Amino acid sequence: MPAQNLPARNAQQQRPRGRLDPTVGKARTMVGALLGLTTTGKHRPVQDPPLVLVGCSGGPDSLALAAVAAFFASRGEIRVGAVVVDHQMQPGSAEVAENTAETLRALGLDPVQVRTVELAHDGVGPEAAARAARFAALDVAARELGAQTVLLGHTLDDQAESVLLGLARGSGTKSLAGMRPRRGRYARPFLGLRRSETLAICEALDLDPWHDPANTDQAYLRVRVRHNVLPFLSAELGPGITESLARSATILGHDADFLDELAQAEFDRIAEICPGTQALPAEVRLPEDALRRLAPALKMRVLARAVVVLGGYQPSYERLVSAQELLERKGSAGPVQMAGKVSAYRISRSQSVPQDGPGYGKLVLRRGDTALHLH
């Protein structure tokens, strides 16, 4: 990997004092608003400031975010560290990760970790596998370092692409709602910022970001959406299409969050979770009658929640429909493969099943070969 294509300069030594670049100022305001910090006024250092981590690949978006976050660390209100995840998907990825880590340390971030991950595809594509491995690494780092917040550099353009991908896949409200500014420990302050603005921030701060060659590889659907579909829609429907798609995600996000809250309450009410390992339960049992009484939107979400609780991925609509057909005792007895090694099948009523057995009249979800039973 050419050294000149790697971030390597210290943003704190780049520009003489003077007028703040307006895009940098805008980005600081976004980060400050999400973290409850101010960009103006007297510095107010706090004793034992909380640690905020930045998930950084070295690309323009996450590098700009790291540089902006470093400003708040310099004020003493928070500590800012970073995690660089090496997915090992390209030759030279270890060098890219180490160069990125060096740049982040020069920006003043501490601690900075490089985490190398192995991708487990589990029947999903490379992008989904990389995403799962990346979040697993970030989760572990946050727990070990005691960070309550992890900042991610997704932009308004990423949000628009996610909405289009959700439409193309026939996804529901959850997918079309895209990414949330805040969910759990993860925060995305740049969802209102264009990708061109993160490049402008890097230029203003004299940073040299790494440009991932995968971002121009037309083999990836997201790349084709970025370079072919969105420009076409912009030409045909007007230049505001990216903002409109992102705005739709915000509106749908409120609906999805409300439905998720209702579904979580129903899951907590009806689910029986059997202990397993320290990390994952052994199984989840959902009473058949209680599931049938739920509205379709909640039923789907409760089924999906059970799969995720067992360590699987968010199931597709088609797989949820197949599981629901088992619930309705339609078609094949299975198995139906869910996502992430969770599968589903039905035990026929012609088989001898004890009426008072713990699984009778319930959907029993398990991870592995013996997975989802409908007694």
Side-chain angles (χ1 to χ4, degrees):
M1 187 64 61
Q4 64 268 24
N5 197 33
L6 299 173
R9 281 172 278 180
N10 186 344
Q12 307 304 326
Q13 299 175 352
Q14 300 132 10
R15 297 165 62 89
R17 287 185 175 272
R19 182 175 178 272
L20 177 67
D21 181 271
T23 310
V24 175
K26 178 181 178 181
R28 286 182 181 176
T29 299
M30 289 177 165
V31 172
L34 204 56
L35 296 179
L37 304 171
T38 179
T39 63
T40 59
K42 186 178 179 180
H43 294 194
R44 298 182 183 276
V46 299
Q47 188 174 10
D48 192 23
L51 175 65
V52 173
L53 294 176
V54 179
C56 187
S57 66
D61 303 340
S62 60
L63 187 60
L65 177 58
V68 170
F71 163 79
F72 292 96
S74 71
R75 293 169 66 87
E77 298 173 82
I78 59 173
R79 291 185 297 128
V80 178
V83 180
V84 183
V85 179
D86 176 11
H87 301 89
Q88 304 185 88
M89 294 178 70
Q90 300 164 354
S93 64
E95 182 186 358
V96 172
E98 288 299 336
N99 276 276
T100 298
E102 288 179 14
T103 294
L104 295 170
R105 294 184 185 107
L107 284 167
L109 276 65
D110 182 45
V112 176
Q113 293 187 349
V114 174
R115 298 242 170 183
T116 303
V117 298
E118 301 285 343
L119 303 191
H121 294 283
D122 285 344
V124 300
E127 290 176 288
R131 182 182 185 277
R134 180 167 59 254
F135 276 96
L138 292 173
D139 282 340
V140 171
R143 287 196 299 270
E144 290 181 354
L145 296 172
Q148 298 300 310
T149 299
V150 179
L151 299 179
L152 302 175
H154 297 109
T155 65
L156 186 146
D157 297 86
D158 294 312
Q159 187 77 297
E161 291 163 12
S162 294
V163 174
L164 278 180
L165 287 167
L167 285 170
R169 292 165 178 156
S171 302
T173 307
K174 189 179 185 69
S175 180
L176 297 180
M179 298 169 283
R180 309 296 197 281
R182 183 102 199 200
R183 182 174 285 279
R185 64 164 55 98
Y186 293 101
R188 298 175 171 90
F190 282 1
L191 285 181
L193 209 64
R194 296 299 302 267
R195 189 173 291 128
S196 58
E197 292 178 293
T198 64
L199 285 166
I201 291 170
C202 289
E203 183 177 356
L205 297 179
D206 199 24
L207 294 167
D208 188 13
W210 173 62
H211 295 280
D212 187 348
N215 288 333
T216 58
D217 186 347
Q218 295 274 333
Y220 294 106
L221 179 57
R222 182 177 286 273
V223 172
R224 298 198 297 275
V225 167
R226 178 177 303 173
H227 295 289
N228 303 337
V229 178
L230 269 171
F232 173 79
L233 290 176
S234 181
E236 295 296 322
L237 301 179
I241 185 64
T242 300
E243 289 83 357
S244 296
L245 288 167
R247 186 166 57 251
S248 295
T250 299
I251 296 169
L252 287 169
H254 297 311
D255 297 343
D257 287 344
F258 178 65
L259 288 170
D260 284 345
E261 288 176 11
L262 294 179
Q264 182 66 56
E266 293 295 342
F267 180 86
D268 293 341
R269 180 177 67 85
I270 69 175
E272 301 172 19
I273 300 178
C274 303
T277 66
Q278 186 175 4
L280 295 171
E283 63 182 39
V284 176
R285 300 170 183 162
L286 300 172
E288 181 179 340
D289 290 339
L291 274 176
R292 283 203 178 101
R293 286 193 292 267
L294 294 178
L298 297 183
K299 188 187 305 180
M300 290 288 197
R301 281 171 165 79
V302 168
L303 286 170
R305 179 62 184 158
V307 174
V308 172
V309 162
L310 288 167
Y313 305 123
Q314 175 71 26
S316 68
Y317 174 76
E318 290 78 13
R319 296 188 186 195
L320 289 172
V321 167
S322 296
Q324 187 168 275
E325 288 176 349
L326 290 180
L327 176 66
E328 300 301 328
R329 303 187 181 279
K330 295 178 180 178
S332 168
V336 173
Q337 299 300 319
M338 303 300 282
K341 297 182 180 179
V342 175
S343 56
Y345 65 90
R346 182 179 72 220
I347 295 179
S348 170
R349 284 195 182 279
S350 63
Q351 294 178 243
S352 176
V353 180
Q355 299 296 305
D356 59 350
Y360 187 78
K362 299 172 184 176
L363 287 170
V364 181
L365 290 85
R366 291 177 185 158
R367 180 181 172 89
D369 295 333
T370 307
L372 186 88
H373 307 274
L374 179 55
H375 295 278

